[in-house]
């Protein structure tokens, strides 16, 4: 009986630690976006959605492809320096309209204004 209790307790602690780490990662990502003047930064909490691909979406707008690139570079550098983490994958940098950065439990989406309006990721969770 004690062994089962211990296993459940360890699982709860692990889950709490993972959620806390994700929240800290989100804060670091937002810091990187703010450093390069990201526009309309929003965080979507997906933790209550069964089967969600991650715990959080961080969504931001840049005014030009150059700013979108600067925002993604800033996030990558800030997270690497502050948390020692690198994204698993980055897609979309070549077109500069929508860049997605995969940090496993957090996805970062940096859009140009028209692309953000068209894809309306926030609308998926309303």
């Amino acid at each position: 009986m004690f062994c089962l209790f211990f296993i459940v307790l360890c699982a709860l602690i692990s889950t709490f630690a993972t959620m806390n780490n994700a929240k800290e990662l989100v804060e670091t990502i937002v810091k990187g976006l703010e450093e390069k003047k990201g526009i309309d930064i929003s965080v979507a909490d997906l933790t209550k959605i069964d089967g969600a691909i991650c715990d959080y979406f961080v969504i931001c707008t840049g005014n030009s492809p150059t700013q979108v690139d600067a925002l993604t570079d800033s996030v990558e550098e800030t997270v690497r320096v502050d948390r020692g983490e690198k994204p698993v994958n980055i897609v979309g940098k070549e077109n500069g309209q929508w860049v997605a950065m995969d940090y496993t439990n957090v996805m970062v989406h940096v859009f140009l204004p028209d692309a953000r309006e068209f894809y309306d990721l926030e609308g998926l969770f309303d």
Side-chain angles (χ1 to χ4, degrees), residues 97-98 111 113-124:
Q97 293 186 32
W98 174 9
F111 290 98
D114 290 344
R116 183 171 181 171
E117 184 179 339
F118 179 80
Y119 290 105
D120 188 28
L121 291 184
E122 291 97 337
L124 296 174

Side-chain angles (χ1 to χ4, degrees), residues 22-39:
K23 288 179 183 179
E24 291 172 1
L25 177 58
V26 166
E27 291 172 7
T28 305
I29 289 166
V30 169
K31 176 183 166 186
L33 294 169
E34 288 173 341
E35 284 180 4
K36 295 297 180 183
K37 310 290 189 242
I39 301 165

Side-chain angles (χ1 to χ4, degrees), residues 1-79:
M1 183 62 118
F2 177 75
C3 188
L4 178 60
F5 172 77
F6 184 73
I7 291 170
V8 170
L9 181 62
C10 287
L12 287 172
I13 290 170
S14 175
T15 300
F16 178 75
T18 300
M19 288 176 62
N20 200 32
N21 285 339
K23 288 179 183 179
E24 291 172 1
L25 177 58
V26 166
E27 291 172 7
T28 305
I29 289 166
V30 169
K31 176 183 166 186
L33 294 169
E34 288 173 341
E35 284 180 4
K36 295 297 180 183
K37 310 290 189 242
I39 301 165
D40 196 20
I41 301 167
S42 67
V43 177
D45 182 347
L46 311 179
T47 56
K48 293 181 177 34
I49 299 174
D50 289 335
I53 61 168
C54 62
D55 294 334
Y56 296 93
F57 274 4
V58 180
I59 305 166
C60 178
T61 302
N63 278 325
S64 68
T66 302
Q67 187 183 19
V68 168
D69 192 48
L71 287 162
T72 56
D73 288 347
S74 180
V75 168
E76 190 172 11
E77 178 71 9
T78 303
V79 171

